[in-house]
Amino acid sequence: MTVAAAAPPALTVRTHGNAYEIFILVLTVMSLIVMALVILPLSPATHETLLWFDNAICFVFLADFLYNITGSRPRSEYFIRRRGWLDLLGSIPTLGFFRLTALFRLARLSRLARIMRLLSGQHKRELIDDIVKNRGQYALFISLLLVFIVLTTGTVLVLQFESRSPDANIVTGGDALWWAFVTITTVGYGDYYPVTMLGRITGVGVMAAGIGLIGALASILASILVPSPDEQAAAATAAGSDDKAELDQRLTAIQGELSAIREELRAIRGPAGSPAEAEQPSDSR
């Protein structure tokens, strides 16, 4: 008697939608741009600010790595065969101490190549259908990317422009980041403000972007709370089907009750017919 060989366990690797892959793709390109800017002869405050943003991106990639490896069975399938170790290597933050780890960002090129192959393997019609079907996800990820891009660009530019003026009050990376954050949210406390022409032009751009992003986030929230016309029509159809089924059940129950009443009447009348047909007593004269 032969014992059948056990089937090997199925390989499982966590997959993502196109919206998430595009989000990681753009974030990878941004991290490489930040790494290139660190090499340029910019002010020390600007370099420090760029390292802040680089560390923030690293923590996002670390979360992505943990999310991918915990959803893979066995984990070596993602870590070794899918080159997840390169994702981990490119996600090590500098934290202001390990400056040489910035060179590990080049390992993200492997993830960049994988995403490009994935997207290029799909037809344009498939991508368009996916965008229409999952437009809420695309809007959310694009809005997050735009917020990060505006914060990064506005912080670096205003710090670079304002650091050249002796009358500037935005002189550190923390000041520039705080100014960019309160400006993009259209709060504008006024504790920090640009005094140079280029700095003010940067402020106008950040304010305009903030208004647009707030409107986009409001529309995303509305799309989540208010269902689409197709969803409303499907819900109405389902509700109509449920009402019809409930009505059919009630009619069936009523018909059953009427049949039971008829049977009871037949049992009361008996085989001889109605009670009126019973024998009447004869009159004796």
Side-chain angles (χ1 to χ4, degrees), residues 44-66:
T46 304
H47 280 164
E48 181 183 0
T49 305
L50 289 172
L51 290 177
W52 288 354
F53 288 114
D54 178 71
N55 288 325
I57 296 175
C58 285
F59 284 112
V60 174
F61 278 104
L62 277 176
D64 173 72
F65 170 78
L66 293 175

Side-chain angles (χ1 to χ4, degrees), residues 38-117:
V38 172
I39 303 175
L40 298 179
L42 303 176
S43 63
T46 304
H47 280 164
E48 181 183 0
T49 305
L50 289 172
L51 290 177
W52 288 354
F53 288 114
D54 178 71
N55 288 325
I57 296 175
C58 285
F59 284 112
V60 174
F61 278 104
L62 277 176
D64 173 72
F65 170 78
L66 293 175
Y67 182 68
N68 287 329
I69 198 169
T70 53
S72 301
R73 295 292 184 276
R75 295 180 179 178
S76 59
E77 176 68 19
Y78 165 72
F79 190 78
I80 297 177
R81 297 190 60 184
R82 302 297 177 94
R83 300 178 182 178
W85 63 274
L86 288 176
D87 297 341
L88 177 61
L89 190 64
S91 305
I92 301 176
T94 60
L95 298 176
F97 304 102
F98 309 103
R99 297 296 180 93
L100 294 179
T101 57
L103 297 176
F104 295 159
R105 306 295 177 268
L106 295 176
R108 295 176 183 170
L109 293 174
S110 173
R111 181 69 179 274
L112 186 66
R114 292 204 306 267
I115 297 175
M116 292 298 295
R117 286 196 301 268

Side-chain angles (χ1 to χ4, degrees), residues 32 102 155 166 210 276:
L32 297 177
T155 300

